[in-house]
Amino acid sequence: QLSKRLARVGELVPEQSRLADIGSDHAYLPVALVLQKKLDFAVAGEVVNGPFEAAKKQVKKNGLNDQITVRLADGLDAVEETDKITAVTICGMGGVLIRDILEAGWKNQRLQGNERLVLQPNIGEKPLRDWLTVHGYTIIDEDILEENNKIYEIIVACRQEVRVAYSEKERLFGPILLKKRSSIFQRKWQGEVKQRETILAQLAKASGDQQARIQQIEKEITEIKEVLSNES
Ligand code: SAM
């Protein structure tokens, strides 16, 4: 039984993809998708020995050794040309780490640029969207969900003929999430306002010149409040 978060990621993986799940931990996602018969080929990549062993065990236990290859490798080094990967999932990590994995894969050409990316950053969505934008990706879908009192975003991207230039605001809030403005989205950003207000209160008591930081945070609060009040 997949978590709600991973189940949603799985729904966003196209049918019959050849999937690379990077940072697969127990390989729960590829195992579930192959058992559902949504896929019949996947690579599960792990850089840490414990989760790598756990992934191998999980695949073997389910009798999926022929469909799922588990590799001990850093990021997209788990992918080989002969795998003919068409979709990549990178989930449950910070957005900056996901970005760094994509960047390394881009540089050493493990990432071809024609794969569908389904990314689920726990935090740091903005730097990840910045990277996608710079590298010519279009964000074709996004979702936001809540599980165990945590809010997660999912970003689906691929490269298309026409490049989209996302604004700073779209890269912060998510171009599609911004349009949908779901109740979970509102709750997330209300929380972000609160966090920033707490920081402002602390900065007001701090010594030294905090003016630049205060102004930056005030600007962010105004921007978030604008989005929340639907004025933009
Ligand atoms: N993807 C699963 C999920 O969403 O539930 C597991 C998430 S777990 C919190 C993150 C996993 O990513 C860990 O098992 C960690 O070892 C792995 N990881 C971190 N950096 C990695 C890298 N550079 N390459 C491959 N795996 C990595």
Side-chain angles (χ1 to χ4, degrees), residues 95-123:
V96 170
L97 178 54
I98 297 178
R99 179 201 66 189
D100 291 347
I101 289 174
L102 292 172
E103 175 65 18
W106 185 271
K107 284 211 171 117
N108 68 15
Q109 294 178 3
R110 299 287 175 145
L111 195 64
Q112 305 294 318
N114 53 6
E115 307 86 351
R116 171 83 51 109
L117 306 181
V118 185
L119 311 169
Q120 184 271 300
N122 290 341
I123 50 164

Side-chain angles (χ1 to χ4, degrees), residues 18-223:
R18 293 177 67 85
L19 176 71
D21 183 42
I22 306 301
S24 198
D25 198 351
H26 283 67
Y28 289 137
L29 179 65
V31 164
L33 295 182
V34 173
L35 289 178
Q36 286 168 22
K37 307 217 176 304
K38 183 162 188 177
L39 313 176
D40 49 30
F41 178 82
V43 171
E46 250 300 331
V47 75
V48 176
N49 219 36
F52 165 69
E53 293 296 337
K56 277 205 302 194
K57 228 184 196 169
Q58 188 69 11
V59 169
K60 191 171 173 209
K61 190 177 102 187
N62 285 279
L64 300 178
N65 279 331
D66 290 344
Q67 287 101 328
I68 303 176
T69 306
V70 184
R71 295 197 183 117
L72 184 64
D74 186 359
L76 287 152
D77 285 355
V79 171
E80 289 171 12
E81 213 174 323
T82 47
D83 297 332
K84 301 202 178 329
I85 292 302
T86 61
V88 175
T89 45
I90 315 180
C91 304
M93 306 174 206
V96 170
L97 178 54
I98 297 178
R99 179 201 66 189
D100 291 347
I101 289 174
L102 292 172
E103 175 65 18
W106 185 271
K107 284 211 171 117
N108 68 15
Q109 294 178 3
R110 299 287 175 145
L111 195 64
Q112 305 294 318
N114 53 6
E115 307 86 351
R116 171 83 51 109
L117 306 181
V118 185
L119 311 169
Q120 184 271 300
N122 290 341
I123 50 164
E125 297 84 2
K126 167 83 167 40
L128 182 54
R129 288 196 191 92
D130 289 346
W131 188 91
L132 292 170
T133 305
V134 168
H135 291 81
Y137 281 85
T138 302
I139 295 172
I140 55 170
D141 204 354
E142 284 182 319
D143 204 1
I144 186 163
L145 61 100
E146 190 166 10
E147 185 172 43
N148 301 327
N149 290 318
K150 286 203 190 112
I151 294 180
Y152 301 102
E153 294 189 10
I154 304 172
I155 302 168
V156 186
C158 67
R159 291 176 93 232
Q160 296 180 334
E161 295 255 315
V162 182
R163 275 182 85 140
V164 186
Y166 294 108
S167 66
E168 180 88 18
K169 185 172 164 186
E170 286 173 316
R171 282 178 276 131
L172 178 62
F173 294 97
I176 295 172
L177 296 179
L178 196 54
K179 280 199 190 112
K180 290 190 198 158
R181 285 170 212 255
S182 69
S183 56
I184 297 174
F185 172 88
Q186 310 259 356
R187 217 164 332 122
K188 168 178 172 146
W189 288 102
Q190 279 155 4
E192 295 280 331
V193 168
K194 280 217 179 92
Q195 261 181 32
R196 283 166 177 75
E197 283 172 345
T198 308
I199 297 171
L200 276 186
Q202 282 161 357
L203 284 177
K205 287 186 233 147
S207 57
D209 184 11
Q210 308 291 346
Q211 211 42 43
R213 224 175 134 213
I214 290 174
Q215 271 175 8
Q216 172 62 27
I217 295 172
E218 282 174 344
K219 190 176 143 237
E220 287 169 10
I221 292 177
T222 308
E223 189 179 27

